[in-house]
Amino acid sequence: MTDRHEVARALTTKFDHFSVEFVERVAVLRIDRPDKLNAIAPVFWSQLRGLIGEFEQDEEVRAVVITGAGDVAFSAGGDLAAFGEDAGIRERRDYMIDAMKGFAAVENASLPIIAAVNGWALGGGCELTMACDFVIASETAQFGMPEAGVGLVPGFGILRAPSIIGRQWTKYMVFANVRIDAGQAFTLGMVQKVVPQEELLTSALDIAARVTEQAPLALSVGKEVIGRGVDSGEFSHAVDALTVLFSTHDLVEGVTAFAERRAPRFEGR
């Protein structure tokens, strides 16, 4: 019989942006950069796709729970310092395509994927919860898409959020850079259950265990039908729009202001 602890250690070594453990038939995937508030570096997306592929090939895995290491953040979003100042438009476009493929991998995975949000879910972290099949949140969770504050928009978020929370709430969160708490997210349909922080993982695992008791082929077919039409081609216009934003003066100013901890001075160019 396969030693599940050894498998988890091997996956954690291979995909070092994450830590992995197995609880019965559930794979628990932690974004494991607590010192950076689990911020997303460019390597995140390829590693996420790689892990999902590993789980799909593992006959003992029937569901996946994604959470963040520590108690503060699920993920605070993109790690701006990790992108580098020398990246050109082509590199930034490639990154956006890579990220969109990551979201698509979560949406299109044959396995049910549950987000257990243990704190801040901002930017790409918030978008990742929207790609998951459903979301369990701690009472401390906060959701936000603050990209416009540095000169961008949440590419996947503006595609998916309207179907989850509606067009106007999407605009409110993106245009006004408004965060919402777990209770508001539950009311809007972003979150399916809110629990105390100390009960989050237990609650997520209990629900995941219920998922593993269902017929796996039926769930796979159901997920495919519910998400029919989701493919990387759908993201092309978002990638094009974001590529343009990556070339603006306002983006440079936004990222610089973020690093210098001051208010940005946007010029609309």
Side-chain angles (χ1 to χ4, degrees), residues 184-208:
Q184 290 174 297
F186 176 80
T187 300
L188 291 172
M190 288 179 69
V191 167
Q192 282 64 61
K193 187 174 184 180
V194 179
V195 299
Q197 175 85 347
E198 63 273 14
E199 297 176 14
L200 176 64
L201 188 57
T202 299
S203 296
L205 287 171
D206 286 345
I207 294 170

Side-chain angles (χ1 to χ4, degrees), residues 69-220:
D71 296 327
V72 178
F74 175 78
S75 173
D79 185 355
L80 297 178
F83 288 87
E85 297 180 359
D86 298 328
I89 289 297
R90 184 168 185 173
E91 290 80 8
R92 294 177 187 275
R93 181 182 176 83
D94 288 345
Y95 169 77
M96 284 309 310
I97 293 172
D98 200 35
M100 292 298 189
K101 287 180 178 178
F103 292 125
V106 174
E107 288 194 323
N108 293 331
S110 58
L111 295 167
I113 300 181
I114 303 163
V117 181
N118 52 306
W120 297 345
L122 306 178
C126 182
E127 293 173 282
L128 180 58
T129 71
M130 296 180 189
C132 292
D133 295 305
F134 45 90
V135 181
I136 314 302
S138 80
E139 293 172 337
T140 66
Q142 291 190 31
F143 299 81
M145 293 179 282
E147 285 87 345
V150 296
L152 294 171
V153 289
F156 182 80
I158 58 177
L159 289 173
R160 281 293 169 270
S163 64
I164 298 171
I165 63 175
R167 291 163 58 97
Q168 289 177 306
W169 265 100
T170 300
K171 293 174 185 177
Y172 184 53
M173 290 185 69
V174 174
F175 296 179
N177 191 2
V178 170
R179 294 188 190 183
I180 61 174
D181 62 23
Q184 290 174 297
F186 176 80
T187 300
L188 291 172
M190 288 179 69
V191 167
Q192 282 64 61
K193 187 174 184 180
V194 179
V195 299
Q197 175 85 347
E198 63 273 14
E199 297 176 14
L200 176 64
L201 188 57
T202 299
S203 296
L205 287 171
D206 286 345
I207 294 170
R210 293 183 61 179
V211 170
T212 67
E213 294 169 358
Q214 316 309 313
L217 289 178
L219 298 187
S220 178

